[in-house]
Amino acid sequence: MSRLLIIGCGGVAQVAITKCCQNSEVFTEICIASRTVSKCEALKEKLEKNTTTKITTAKVDADNVDELVALIESYKPEAVLNLALPYQDLTIMDACLKTKVNYIDTANYEPEDTEDPEWKAIYEKRCKEAGFSAYFDYSWQWAYQDRFKEANILGLLGTGFDPGVTSVFTAYAKKHYFDTIESVDILDCNGGDHGYPFATNFNPEINLREVSAPGSYWEDGHWVEIPAMSIKREYDFPEVGMKDMYLLHHEEIESLAKNYPEIKRIRFFMTFGQSYLTHMKCLENVGMLRTDPVNFNGVDIVPIQFLKELLPDPATLGPRTVGKTNIGCIFKGKKDGKDKTIYIYNVCDHQECYKEVGSQAISYTTGVPAMIGAMMVVTGKWNGTGVFNVEEFDPDPYMEALNKWGLPWVVDENPAIVE
Ligand code: NDP
């Protein structure tokens, strides 16, 4: 019924691709394209025995718009699912515009080189005007709105878990549980243990950039920025237990604040163990998280990229990770004039994920919603022209698909709250 081009073949992509192959009625043909084509071929070989989805592979450098355009023109997909890195968002969006093909991703744009003077000037202006200093923000992709409309194509931004499912949870809470939502606390708890002193659960470079940045939250119509890891809370997560969690800046806060101006406060918390934080602080203090090139023996090396080479590949953590994740949103607001609080969440077991798709739960909780977002677009359940965040569409078919495709959710109408 549909043909999907998937770019990237890392931890998240491998889950999304496996899920597309379980959903052959919708995804009759897929092409896996990445920089290292051998990874695409190995995955094709593993999956094609058990699926009727026709899989092809291609080599592409997604930093190169012409290469992308040539691939899209030859494969002629209904949509492109971008599961490469946030660095490639804009080149892939440009290629989709040129070829008039729908675009889907899981993370918002950030530049690879944060010392690039052209980008930096725009970034510094945005920091002053918007009041938060994360390297990533939606302005770059929202700027495609008119061009996507003119090209009569849809861009679906951020269909991972967070952003993605957490944003759909917000739309669902508003549709079925509240007249007005006053506050949202997004909680991302990984109660898993991989046995390494230090490893990241998804791309180390993207992960470490995110968590070492200042935290921020949305309150009364503006951003409040705080030093990294300076707001800590404890929360007793269903099926996981008591964990320390820290307030971080996170991209769905930006889109939820725009799409739900009624919400007075939006915060995001992620759990971290002490060992992770100590390692990260040390790496930061010695300069290993730097994103600008450093010349070493005549070769330019970006410290955070070199660090990625030293750390375990997140795609290999599956067999050794045990425990569960609990990710969801606590909503406070009013229904029929009365105060109401609910927690909508999903619990995912690392070993169950590994048994099913060969990956740990972090890749699983992102890869499944990536497949579901692509399904919403190619089946036309979500349609329109322009650039959209997931919370702008009807949440019901997506929520139904989460239950069906491995991420069942719970609505707790009497949850503990975060002070
Ligand atoms: P990985 O590093 O495991 O995989 C990235 C893949 O992209 C690799 O296959 C890599 O190829 C490929 N790639 C990188 N650069 C290029 C390029 N120039 N051209 C073609 N292919 C390229 O990352 P993850 O799977 O962990 O993450 C994928 C995406 O998911 C990221 O954008 C991340 O931010 C996002 N994410 C979103 C989450 C959410 O909840 N919304 C949560 C977790 C991740 P190669 O093997 O050759 O390097």
Side-chain angles (χ1 to χ4, degrees), residues 7-14 33-37 39-40 60-64 68 82-89 105-108 110 112 158-164 188 201-204 206-207 210 250-251 308 313-315 362-363 365-366 369:
I7 302 193
C9 192
V12 172
Q14 293 186 21
S34 191
R35 195 167 46 181
T36 314
V37 75
K39 284 193 197 166
C40 310
V60 74
D61 176 1
D63 291 320
N64 183 319
L68 287 164
N82 167 16
L83 298 176
L85 297 177
Y87 313 146
Q88 283 85 44
D89 285 2
D105 71 24
T106 66
N108 70 9
E110 64 181 276
E112 190 158 8
T159 179
F161 205 107
D162 42 342
D188 181 335
N201 295 298
F202 69 95
N203 184 284
I206 305 298
N207 183 242
E210 176 178 300
H250 222 246
E251 63 198 60
K308 175 177 181 276
D313 178 353
I362 305 302
S363 302
T365 52
T366 311

Side-chain angles (χ1 to χ4, degrees), residues 42-334:
L43 186 62
K44 170 181 176 310
E45 200 179 318
K46 179 175 147 201
L47 294 174
E48 66 188 355
K49 298 170 217 130
N50 299 314
T51 183
T52 56
T53 300
K54 185 172 173 226
I55 309 169
T56 48
T57 61
K59 179 173 167 56
V60 74
D61 176 1
D63 291 320
N64 183 319
V65 178
D66 292 340
E67 268 190 43
L68 287 164
V69 167
L71 176 62
I72 296 171
E73 281 176 345
S74 72
Y75 188 62
K76 301 195 181 0
E78 265 89 54
V80 175
L81 174 58
N82 167 16
L83 298 176
L85 297 177
Y87 313 146
Q88 283 85 44
D89 285 2
L90 303 186
T91 45
I92 301 176
M93 289 179 85
D94 284 339
C96 285
L97 256 183
K98 286 197 168 172
T99 51
K100 298 196 178 7
V101 170
N102 298 319
Y103 169 87
I104 301 144
D105 71 24
T106 66
N108 70 9
Y109 172 71
E110 64 181 276
E112 190 158 8
D113 176 10
T114 50
E115 294 304 310
D116 170 23
E118 203 181 315
W119 174 84
K120 207 166 178 181
I122 298 170
Y123 164 75
E124 280 169 357
K125 185 164 174 275
R126 189 268 285 161
C127 287
K128 268 200 211 116
E129 284 171 8
F132 68 96
S133 61
Y135 288 146
F136 50 88
D137 73 278
Y138 272 118
S139 63
W140 298 88
Q141 286 157 288
W142 285 341
Y144 283 74
Q145 173 70 354
D146 290 345
R147 283 173 286 158
F148 267 51
K149 259 188 188 245
E150 276 158 29
N152 205 24
I153 56 172
L154 183 151
L156 181 66
L157 307 182
T159 179
F161 205 107
D162 42 342
V165 176
T166 50
S167 324
V168 175
F169 282 172
T170 308
Y172 187 79
K174 172 71 184 176
K175 182 171 175 184
H176 296 285
Y177 287 89
F178 291 94
D179 296 324
T180 33
I181 300 179
E182 285 156 8
S183 73
V184 185
D185 279 331
I186 303 162
L187 311 187
D188 181 335
C189 163
N190 180 8
D193 182 5
H194 45 58
Y196 286 117
F198 186 73
T200 62
N201 295 298
F202 69 95
N203 184 284
E205 196 179 327
I206 305 298
N207 183 242
L208 288 165
R209 278 189 180 203
E210 176 178 300
V211 302
S212 58
S216 61
Y217 58 97
W218 183 255
E219 193 166 49
D220 296 328
H222 62 88
W223 290 96
V224 180
E225 188 156 272
I226 53 154
M229 304 290 173
S230 61
I231 295 186
K232 175 185 166 188
R233 297 284 185 272
E234 277 193 331
Y235 194 80
D236 193 2
F237 287 91
E239 296 190 47
V240 175
M242 198 60 95
K243 291 277 170 197
D244 290 342
M245 58 185 194
Y246 297 82
L247 188 144
L248 297 186
H249 176 81
H250 222 246
E251 63 198 60
E252 67 267 55
I253 303 178
E254 197 188 354
S255 73
L256 290 174
K258 175 183 164 219
N259 290 318
Y260 292 89
E262 71 189 44
I263 305 178
K264 294 196 186 79
R265 189 183 69 192
I266 312 173
R267 301 184 296 186
F268 180 96
F269 291 91
M270 191 177 271
T271 62
F272 294 100
Q274 199 48 52
S275 171
Y276 184 99
L277 294 178
T278 309
H279 277 82
M280 192 183 77
K281 197 74 216 156
C282 176
L283 291 166
E284 188 179 16
N285 286 343
V286 298
M288 281 303 287
L289 302 189
R290 281 175 60 175
T291 58
D292 54 319
V294 175
N295 193 277
F296 177 72
N297 282 350
V299 180
D300 275 347
I301 294 174
V302 177
I304 198 167
Q305 289 177 355
F306 179 65
L307 175 64
K308 175 177 181 276
E309 294 307 307
L310 301 178
L311 291 174
D313 178 353
T316 64
L317 297 178
R320 37 188 306 147
T321 308
V322 292
K324 292 178 180 177
T325 60
N326 177 318
I327 320 176
C329 307
I330 300 175
F331 300 100
K332 284 170 93 174
K334 295 255 183 321

Side-chain angles (χ1 to χ4, degrees), residues 401-414:
L402 287 170
N403 281 333
K404 180 171 176 189
W405 293 102
L407 293 176
W409 40 273
V410 174
V411 181
D412 178 351
E413 298 206 41
N414 189 21

